[in-house]
Amino acid sequence: MTYKEIKDRLSKCELTLQNIKDGSYSNLSADKAKIQIQKLNTLKESLEKQLKEASTGDNVIITT
């Protein structure tokens, strides 16, 4: 993935996390919301790591 693709995915992940936390997804039960938050946090950490690696230069392409 390119730096821009990683950045876009990270932005979407952060937005979804924020929406779940503020209650925008009212159709999620508390248990399901908690599970989704954990999954999204894991994804966010992974994307942040990939973004950091991509920003070091050297035109690194990361595949997932």
Side-chain angles (χ1 to χ4, degrees):
M1 278 191 290
T2 66
Y3 181 86
K4 184 178 180 335
E5 291 171 330
I6 297 168
K7 187 75 173 163
D8 290 343
R9 286 186 180 196
L10 181 58
S11 295
K12 289 177 186 177
C13 179
E14 290 172 337
L15 179 63
T16 304
L17 264 171
Q18 184 62 37
N19 287 338
I20 290 173
K21 288 179 181 178
D22 71 13
S24 295
Y25 292 104
S26 59
N27 60 340
L28 284 178
S29 68
D31 291 336
K32 287 184 181 181
K34 186 175 180 179
I35 291 169
Q36 290 302 319
I37 288 171
Q38 289 173 346
K39 287 180 182 180
L40 286 167
N41 279 328
T42 302
L43 176 62
K44 181 181 171 187
E45 290 171 9
S46 174
L47 289 170
E48 286 173 339
K49 181 180 176 187
Q50 290 178 16
L51 192 63
K52 183 178 178 183
E53 290 172 358
S55 69
T56 60
D58 300 337
N59 295 327
V60 177
I61 296 176
I62 301 170
T63 59
T64 56

